[in-house]
């Protein structure tokens, strides 16, 4: 019989889990990554494919991942080994956990660098740096940051320390409370930003850009990016949601909980797009700004907005908090593994993983300036880490999770953990996990490989 609680602890309520999982899901992926990738890939058609991936692959895989985590109640590596043994399968399934740990380490390294940009913008805004800014000035300000390795390193270091500090203390103490306050605040700020874009930007043009599908702009690579973004934004395929699921009470409904998290995450991404594109188009900027998109456009809103000094500062503070509640979930699987199998304390485990990711992050931040000539497939280290994790490792992890739950576990085990009425909704979910998710992921992979 699998354990009923994890040695690492448990959320106090189902709501706490929803907030923590939403905290993990809502992050730089929604506010930084989604708008710029949608912008680079023509908008509407990309967004449509992304929403399709969220609903048909993301939601069912999230349920599968929580199910596995709650049944295994350990780090993803040990959970997969335990559950495979329970079903009489190979220990090799532990690989799913290992892929996740690798992906988490690679993601954190660049995530912390970008969170560092956000930290730096808190102070730029707070010191009045956005006042009187025009489009050129805003671009120059962002370029100035990227070309300054010392500044990037300082912010990256601070963010990594913040992450390790929370994880070292354990997931519940402080964190639960933090997400309860911060997530609603972030939401309110986004509403304000969308309201501003509505009044001051070219809102209809922004809406059209985001929602009007021009399928001629949709390449096979854009479909891969949309799928990768769906995994990234929902924190799927690398064990973060699995380990959060391992701290979830046995009675909580996995289906309803997942739907809440996916709904909140999607809403935040769309709102971020609606806050940004009207401003981009209104200022005559191109949506194809790449990773700098929000850092170049949002300061323009704040420059003009009454109270922009305060709103701007608060917005970037909240962006940092959103990134923070995600980064802790990125290293939690690896930390839990070190505690379980190597006998490290949480403090030592958190510090070790954070230091390793910090070192790789230095490579990522140097790729923005002194190492900018070194590229592979036309990408610097930061872009490469981002591309490989989101578009290859996470979908691969998701594929294996779907195959494990859909084909290798007995349906009885699946049903006993899911505890859902065995009606139509259950049937749809099971069909999506067994057929739609794995086949779609394979298909998108094959199409994208053909391109190379
Ligand atoms: N979902 C987070 C975001 O959108 C990133 C993340 C990826 C977190 C993978 C955990 C695991 O920013």
């Amino acid at each position: 019989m699998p354990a009923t609680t994890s040695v690492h602890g448990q959320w106090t309520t189902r709501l706490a889990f929803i907030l923590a999982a939403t905290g993990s899901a809502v992050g730089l992926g929604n506010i930084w990554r989604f708008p710029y990738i949608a912008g680079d890939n023509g908008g509407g058609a990309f967004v449509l494919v992304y929403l399709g991936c969220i609903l048909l692959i993301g939601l069912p895989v999230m349920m599968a991942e929580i199910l596995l985590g709650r049944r295994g109640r350990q780090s993803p590596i040990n959970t997969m080994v335990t559950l495979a043994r329970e079903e009489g399968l190979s220990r090799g399934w532990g690989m799913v956990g290992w892929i996740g740990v690798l992906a988490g380490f690679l993601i954190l390294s660049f995530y912390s660098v970008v969170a560092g940009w956000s930290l730096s913008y808190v102070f730029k805004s707070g010191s009045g740096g956005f006042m009187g800014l025009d489009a050129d000035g805003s671009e120059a300000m962002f370029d100035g940051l990227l070309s300054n390795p010392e500044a990037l390193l300082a912010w990256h270091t601070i963010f990594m320390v913040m992450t390790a500090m929370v994880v070292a203390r354990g997931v519940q103490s402080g964190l639960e409370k933090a997400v309860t306050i911060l997530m609603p605040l972030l939401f309110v700020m986004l509403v304000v930003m969308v309201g501003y874009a509505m009044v001051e930007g070219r809102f209809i043009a922004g809406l059209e850009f985001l929602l009007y599908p021009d399928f001629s702009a949709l390449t096979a690579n854009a479909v891969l990016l949309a799928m990768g973004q769906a995994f990234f934004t929902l924190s799927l395929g690398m064990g973060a949601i699995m380990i959060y699921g391992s701290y979830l009470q046995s009675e909580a409904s996995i289906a309803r909980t997942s739907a809440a998290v996916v709904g909140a995450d999607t809403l935040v991404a769309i709102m971020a797009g609606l806050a940004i594109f009207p401003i981009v188009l209104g200022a005559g900027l191109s949506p194809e700004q790449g990773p700098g998109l929000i850092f170049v456009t949002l300061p323009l809103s704040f420059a003009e907005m009454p109270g922009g000094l305060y709103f701007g500062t608060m917005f970037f503070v909240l962006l940092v908090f959103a990134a923070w509640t995600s980064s802790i979930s990125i290293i939690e699987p690896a930390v839990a593994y070190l505690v379980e199998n190597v006998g490290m304390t949480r403090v030592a485990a958190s510090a070790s993983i954070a230091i390793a990711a910090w070192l790789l992050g230095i490579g990522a931040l140097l790729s923005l300036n002194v190492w900018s000539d070194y590229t592979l497939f036309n990408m610097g280290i930061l872009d490469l880490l981002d591309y490989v994790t989101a578009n290859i490792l996470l979908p691969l992890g998701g594929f294996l999770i779907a195959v494990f739950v859909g084909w290798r576990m007995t349906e009885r085990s699946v049903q006993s953990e899911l505890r859902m009425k065995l009606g139509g909704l259950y049937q749809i979910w099971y069909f999506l996990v067994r057929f739609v998710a794995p086949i779609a992921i394979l298909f998108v992979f094959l199409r994208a490989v053909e391109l190379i």
Side-chain angles (χ1 to χ4, degrees):
M1 236 348 242
T4 51
T5 53
S6 163
V7 293
H8 308 287
Q10 188 161 326
W11 307 114
T12 50
T13 58
R14 185 178 84 101
L15 181 66
F17 169 81
I18 293 184
L19 286 169
T22 306
S24 167
V26 172
L28 298 173
N30 306 60
I31 300 167
W32 162 68
R33 200 173 188 277
F34 169 74
Y36 98 72
I37 294 187
D40 283 351
N41 289 280
F46 172 90
V47 175
L48 209 63
V49 176
Y50 160 79
L51 292 175
C53 290
I54 292 278
L55 208 62
L56 299 178
I57 307 176
L59 181 59
V61 169
M62 177 171 289
M63 289 172 61
E65 219 181 299
I66 297 177
L67 179 162
L68 292 176
R70 190 167 72 178
R71 198 167 177 78
R73 295 272 188 216
Q74 299 154 75
S75 70
I77 296 171
N78 291 324
T79 282
M80 289 308 294
V81 170
T82 306
L83 296 184
R85 193 182 315 123
E86 192 185 271
E87 305 286 336
L89 305 168
S90 150
R91 286 180 61 88
W93 280 101
M95 273 309 290
V96 176
W98 283 108
I99 294 175
V101 166
L102 173 70
F105 164 69
L106 300 179
I107 292 174
L108 185 61
S109 68
F110 74 84
Y111 204 84
S112 170
V113 172
V114 177
W117 302 351
S118 317
L119 266 172
S120 141
Y121 267 60
V122 169
F123 293 90
K124 284 196 196 311
S125 174
S127 60
F130 297 165
M131 295 299 123
L133 214 57
D134 58 10
D136 288 340
S138 188
E139 281 179 332
M141 186 173 187
F142 184 64
D143 291 341
L145 173 65
L146 294 198
S147 58
N148 183 346
E150 288 86 11
L152 292 174
L153 179 63
W155 297 120
H156 164 55
T157 308
I158 294 172
F159 187 78
M160 199 60 95
V161 170
M162 286 164 56
T163 302
M165 265 172 40
V166 175
V167 180
R169 292 215 180 122
V171 196
Q172 302 93 329
S173 52
L175 189 72
E176 249 189 55
K177 227 176 281 160
V179 277
T180 322
I181 303 167
L182 297 175
M183 299 314 292
L185 262 177
L186 178 72
F187 191 77
V188 171
M189 282 305 303
L190 268 176
V191 173
V192 172
M193 297 297 297
V194 173
Y196 181 78
M198 214 176 246
V199 178
E200 294 293 329
R202 291 183 54 206
F203 194 73
I204 302 297
L207 201 65
E208 220 170 81
F209 179 77
L210 207 56
L211 300 179
Y212 181 77
D214 169 12
F215 285 99
S216 65
L218 204 65
T219 59
N221 194 49
V223 176
L224 178 69
L225 294 175
M227 185 175 79
Q229 173 61 18
F231 276 96
F232 188 86
T233 190
L234 295 176
S235 309
L236 293 177
M238 51 78 67
I241 290 295
M242 198 185 291
I243 191 109
Y244 274 20
S246 77
Y247 308 144
L248 177 65
Q249 290 85 345
S250 304
E251 318 76 59
S253 155
I254 291 179
R256 268 187 290 145
T257 315
S258 305
V261 175
V262 170
D265 185 78
T266 307
L267 188 64
V268 171
I270 297 293
M271 284 172 62
L274 290 180
I276 289 161
F277 289 113
I279 302 296
V280 175
L281 300 170
L285 292 165
S286 148
E288 293 170 28
Q289 297 272 326
L293 184 64
I294 64 162
F295 295 95
V296 173
T297 57
L298 290 185
L300 292 176
S301 305
F302 295 123
E304 300 289 323
M305 197 185 283
L309 184 75
Y310 304 101
F311 281 129
T313 311
M314 192 158 147
F315 182 84
F316 283 103
V317 168
L318 290 168
L319 184 59
V320 169
F321 284 132
W324 198 8
T325 55
S326 298
S327 64
I328 50 176
S329 75
I330 299 175
I331 56 171
E332 180 65 18
V335 169
Y337 176 77
L338 289 181
V339 171
E340 286 166 15
N341 289 46
V342 185
M344 279 190 186
T345 60
R346 271 194 84 90
V347 176
S350 314
S352 317
I353 305 285
I355 289 171
W358 177 76
L359 285 172
L360 185 60
I362 294 179
L365 70 87
L366 289 177
S367 75
L368 300 170
N369 35 68
V370 277
W371 289 354
S372 60
D373 290 340
Y374 299 106
T375 58
L376 194 65
F377 301 113
N378 234 342
M379 286 180 269
I381 301 176
L382 191 145
D383 294 343
L384 199 65
L385 285 168
D386 177 332
Y387 189 93
V388 168
T389 50
N391 302 314
I392 298 172
L393 289 178
L394 299 186
L396 177 65
F399 172 81
L400 293 172
I401 287 166
V403 169
F404 187 83
V405 171
W407 296 95
R408 305 305 291 150
M409 273 173 100
T410 61
E411 199 174 349
R412 238 191 50 173
S413 312
V414 170
Q415 288 174 354
S416 80
E417 194 59 50
L418 201 60
R419 276 171 232 135
M420 174 175 179
K421 272 208 217 85
L422 298 180
L425 279 181
Y426 166 77
Q427 298 293 343
I428 294 174
W429 170 76
Y430 203 47
F431 179 77
L432 290 174
V433 167
R434 302 191 80 187
F435 297 100
V436 178
I439 293 173
I441 296 170
L442 262 189
F443 185 76
V444 175
F445 269 160
L446 292 178
R447 280 298 308 264
V449 167
E450 245 171 58
L451 277 180
I452 297 174

